[in-house]
Structure formats: structure tokens, C-alpha cells
């Protein structure tokens, strides 16, 4: 009788709870990695032991922060017109619009400053639209610009101009907003209008702006990762001959001081700028009342009708809502860089100081 071989079954040792523990450990590691990945690097404060040196003129604000600034034009002691210029996104105090001929003709003093986190101005993690308006007021006071001064804000700097109109209108002799960036989530915009304008943005910008609004804690990671297109990664400009000439001029100009824009890091300058500009505001410029009631003061809003960065449709809506105190100037065939056309700076300033004209 043949003996049958018996093959024993393999013995499996089961340790209760080990798999849930491993999964929990892996999940904890993934969360820790994700948390570290989205943390922005610490800023390199100008003048600190590991930061860039201070080379600009600066004032110290009441809260201890410093604002760097640059003065141009005639001396403020003899100036007839005093103008504060607010720079836009990814530029600094060295970018302004003052033309030498007009400066001497009208006796104009210009001061441009680095907004918080840009250039050599200290970062301000808790900054708001209101705090930036008060930064400008304190800058004017410390520089002795008098009870009233003119204000020009360009692009994202134009957004700060809305804050000045809201919080310090009594200090403003006149205001000019040049292609001021519109927040697509200002509730006063008709939803179909703002949604359509947002969808017109390139895909990379569309998602970066949505991240800044809905998940600001992800802004640094989103704009530094390489998995998805982030802000400005691609921009299909269709430029006119005039715009190409302006762009070439800006590139040549920017090459000489590009290192002055974000020496303290991209997060404190660019990314916080996006979070504030496209986050939830404490007021709605679309619904603002006339800040100059009883005064012969006007705000001027300039816009190129072919601007691919700031949609003209939103500017038209705001200007129409505030037609009693905003003078709207739309430039046919111009894009976002129209203020840098050689003759535009003089035209913009003359229009502002002439009030209604």
C-alpha cells in the first residue's frame, strides 16, 4: 500500500492590530511630510545677521517695522505737488513713473516705497488693506508731505489705492489708479461678470488665484511646486508693436535692479501679495460711497482695453457704479504696460492734478 504524502498547510502568524498601526504610522509620516512641504522658508530680514544689507533710505513705523523709500523730483520743501507712488506685483520702489521734464515744469516731488516684504521694507505677516493705507499715511507724515498729497497706484498697488480711498480720503488731494487689479470675489460684482473675467485668465493664473482665495496656506507650495502650472509659468501674450517696445524697455530696466525686488524671499513679497489681493476683503470697493463728499476731488482710473492681466470689463463696471467721483480713461489697443509708454506718465500726472479734466 502506497503511503500518501501529506503536505502540511503553511502556518500564518497573525499579530492583531499590526496592520492598522502600520497604516497609521504611514499616514502620520505623510501628514508630517505634507506639513513641512507647505511651510514657507523664514524671511531674510534686511539688516539682520543672515539677511541682505540695508542700502535704501528707511523710516521706522510705530509698530517697529521699517519702510524703504526713494525720493525723486524737486525737493519736497519747494514742491508744489507731492505724489506717493505705490508699485505693483513683483517690482519695487525703483519702479515709478516720474518724467523729468514734467517734474521740473510743475514742481513735482515723487516718493515711491517698498510695500511690506518687498525690497528693503520689513515683512508684515498680519498686513491688511487697512494697515497698508495707514503705512502710507505714516510715511507721508514722517517725510513731512503736509496735510494732503496725491496718490498713484499701479496694478496690485492700485488695490492699495482703494484702501486709501476707504480709510484716509481726508489726506488725498487726488488719486490715480492705473489698471488696478480687481479681486474677482468682491461681492459687488455680478457673479456672471466676475466669473467670466476669471475664466479669461490663463490656466496657470486661474488656479493660482483660486488657491490664494480659498487656500492661502497653500499659496507658497502651489507657486513653488513643479507638478502643476503655477502663476506666470506660461503667459501667451499677444503684443502690439507699442507693447513689444514697452516690454523690451521694462526688461532692460528690470535687469538693472531685479535683485532689489525680493531679497527677503518670494513668500513675504509675492505670495503674501496674492493672499491679500485676492483674499476676503474687509470692505467692497464696488459698493463704496463717494469718499470725497463736499470736495472737488476725483479719482482717475486708467485701463487698457487689451489688458490680459486685469480685465477691462470689471473696471468698466466699477467706473460706471462710481461715475460721480471716478473719471474713467480707457485706452484703445493698450495692454497692462501702458503707463510705461514714454508720453503716458506726463499725461497721467497732468490729468490727476487738473482734477476734472
Amino acid at each position: 500500500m502506497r503511503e500518501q504524502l501529506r503536505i502540511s498547510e503553511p502556518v500564518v502568524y497573525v499579530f492583531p492590530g499590526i496592520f492598522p498601526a502600520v497604516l497609521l504610522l504611514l499616514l502620520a509620516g505623510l501628514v508630517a511630510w505634507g506639513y513641512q512641504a507647505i511651510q514657507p522658508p523664514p524671511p531674510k530680514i534686511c539688516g539682520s545677521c543672515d539677511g541682505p544689507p540695508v542700502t535704501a533710505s528707511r523710516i521706522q513705523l510705530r509698530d517697529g517695522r521699517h519702510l524703504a523709500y526713494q525720493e525723486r523730483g524737486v525737493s519736497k520743501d519747494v514742491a508744489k505737488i507731492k505724489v506717493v507712488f505705490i508699485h505693483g506685483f513683483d517690482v519695487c520702489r525703483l519702479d515709478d513713473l516720474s518724467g523729468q521734464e514734467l517734474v521740473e515744469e510743475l514742481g513735482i516731488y515723487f516718493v515711491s516705497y517698498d510695500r511690506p516684504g518687498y525690497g528693503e521694507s520689513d515683512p508684515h505677516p498680519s498686513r491688511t488693506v487697512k494697515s497698508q493705507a495707514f503705512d502710507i499715511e505714516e510715511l507721508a507724515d514722517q517725510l513731512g508731505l503736509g496735510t494732503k498729497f496725491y496718490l498713484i497706484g499701479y496694478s496690485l498697488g492700485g488695490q492699495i489705492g482703494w484702501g486709501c480711498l476707504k480709510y484716509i480720503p481726508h489726506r488725498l488731494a487726488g488719486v490715480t489708479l492705473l489698471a488696478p487689479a480687481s479681486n474677482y470675489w468682491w461681492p459687488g460684482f455680478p457673479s456672471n461678470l466676475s466669473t467670466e473675467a476669471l475664466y479669461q485668465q490663463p490656466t496657470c493664473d486661474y488656479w493660482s488665484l483660486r488657491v490664494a482665495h480659498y487656500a492661502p496656506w497653500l499659496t507658497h507650495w502651489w507657486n513653488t511646486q513643479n507638478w502643476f502650472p503655477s502663476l506666470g509659468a506660461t503667459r501667451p501674450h499677444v503684443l502690439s508693436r507699442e507693447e513689444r517696445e514697452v516690454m523690451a524697455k521694462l526688461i532692460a530696466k528690470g535687469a538693472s535692479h531685479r535683485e532689489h525686488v525680493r531679497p527677503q524671499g518670494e513668500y513675504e513679497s509675492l505670495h503674501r501679495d496674492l493672499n491679500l489681493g485676492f483674499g476676503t476683503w474687509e470692505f467692497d470697493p464696488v459698493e463704496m460711497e463717494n469718499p470725497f463728499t463736499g470736495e472737488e476731488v476725483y479719482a482717475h482710473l486708467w485701463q487698457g482695453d487689451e489688458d490680459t492681466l486685469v480685465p477691462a470689463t470689471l473696471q468698466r463696471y466699477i467706473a460706471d457704479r462710481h461715475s460721480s467721483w471716478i473719471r474713467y480713461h480707457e485706452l484703445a489697443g493698450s495692454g497692462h504696460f501702458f503707463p510705461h509708454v514714454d508720453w503716458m506718465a506726463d499725461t497721467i500726472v497732468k490729468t490727476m492734478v487738473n482734477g476734472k479734466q
Side-chain angles (χ1 to χ4, degrees):
M1 190 172 182
R2 299 180 61 183
E3 183 178 354
Q4 294 183 346
L5 297 177
R6 301 180 61 187
I7 301 177
S8 59
E9 297 290 333
V11 178
V12 179
Y13 296 94
V14 178
F15 298 93
I18 190 170
F19 293 117
V22 170
L23 289 175
L24 184 61
L25 184 61
L26 290 174
L27 180 60
L30 183 62
V31 170
W33 173 84
Y35 177 78
Q36 291 296 326
I38 65 176
Q39 296 305 302
K44 297 179 179 180
I45 307 296
C46 286
S48 64
C49 58
D50 60 344
V54 175
T55 62
S57 300
R58 304 204 302 179
I59 64 165
Q60 186 170 20
L61 302 173
R62 285 186 292 268
D63 62 6
R65 290 181 295 115
H66 295 86
L67 282 187
Y69 65 93
Q70 174 180 261
E71 297 173 295
R72 290 187 62 182
V74 303
S75 167
K76 59 176 174 284
D77 297 325
V78 298
K80 301 176 182 177
I81 299 168
K82 299 169 184 176
V83 181
V84 177
F85 180 79
I86 315 172
H87 69 77
F89 183 76
D90 202 14
V91 287
C92 66
R93 69 188 183 281
L94 303 177
D95 293 88
D96 61 30
L97 303 176
S98 53
Q100 189 60 36
E101 291 184 8
L102 183 66
V103 161
E104 296 175 356
E105 175 188 342
L106 299 182
I108 302 177
Y109 162 88
F110 278 94
V111 59
S112 55
Y113 73 102
D114 289 330
R115 294 193 283 115
Y118 279 101
E120 297 182 27
S121 288
D122 292 339
H124 189 198
S126 59
R127 65 186 178 188
T128 63
V129 178
K130 184 176 184 178
S131 73
Q132 294 204 81
F134 289 151
D135 283 353
I136 292 173
E137 183 177 40
E138 192 169 350
L139 174 69
D141 287 341
Q142 291 204 32
L143 294 180
L145 302 191
T147 57
K148 292 202 173 190
F149 51 88
Y150 289 88
L151 188 75
I152 300 177
Y154 181 26
S155 193
L156 267 177
Q159 280 196 341
I160 308 307
W162 288 118
C164 294
L165 286 166
K166 171 69 175 179
Y167 296 113
I168 58 169
H170 57 287
R171 302 298 305 273
L172 306 177
V175 177
T176 292
L177 306 180
L178 307 175
S182 297
N183 185 322
Y184 302 94
W185 292 272
W186 285 339
F189 283 133
S191 59
N192 62 325
L193 186 69
S194 57
T195 300
E196 179 183 1
L198 180 58
Y199 277 131
Q200 290 175 356
Q201 296 298 302
T203 302
C204 55
D205 291 5
Y206 170 82
W207 285 107
S208 292
L209 298 179
R210 287 180 66 86
V211 168
H213 182 77
Y214 292 109
W217 45 276
L218 273 180
T219 297
H220 170 72
W221 175 83
W222 182 266
N223 289 288
T224 55
Q225 50 77 34
N226 297 315
W227 297 348
F228 310 103
S230 56
L231 186 72
T234 57
R235 182 167 295 285
H237 281 305
V238 180
L239 301 178
S240 65
R241 180 182 61 82
E242 178 187 83
E243 285 279 320
R244 287 195 297 271
E245 292 174 356
V246 174
M247 179 65 76
K249 172 185 173 182
L250 291 176
I251 292 174
K253 181 180 178 181
S256 65
H257 58 73
R258 174 52 52 186
E259 68 276 10
H260 297 290
V261 175
R262 12 173 161 151
Q264 302 178 95
E266 290 187 11
Y267 180 73
E268 294 299 337
S269 52
L270 310 188
H271 302 162
R272 286 198 187 278
D273 221 6
L274 291 174
N275 287 346
L276 177 61
F278 298 97
T280 300
W281 279 37
E282 61 261 35
F283 74 96
D284 182 2
V286 183
E287 303 290 348
M288 279 183 63
E289 298 292 334
N290 183 353
F292 304 124
T293 302
E295 300 182 64
E296 285 292 310
V297 179
Y298 295 88
H300 293 267
L301 198 163
W302 295 75
Q303 177 68 34
D305 69 346
E306 295 184 3
D307 194 327
T308 61
L309 296 174
V310 178
T313 54
L314 300 183
Q315 309 288 30
R316 294 171 192 144
Y317 186 84
I318 292 180
D320 184 64
R321 289 287 300 269
H322 302 317
S323 59
S324 64
W325 57 277
I326 288 183
R327 298 294 179 259
Y328 183 58
H329 314 270
E330 185 167 304
L331 304 175
S334 295
H336 196 66
F337 308 112
F338 71 84
H340 295 283
V341 175
D342 290 335
W343 53 269
M344 276 305 303
D346 288 358
T347 301
I348 289 167
V349 174
K350 283 183 177 179
T351 302
M352 177 176 65
V353 299
N354 287 334
K356 294 182 181 181
Q357 304 300 318

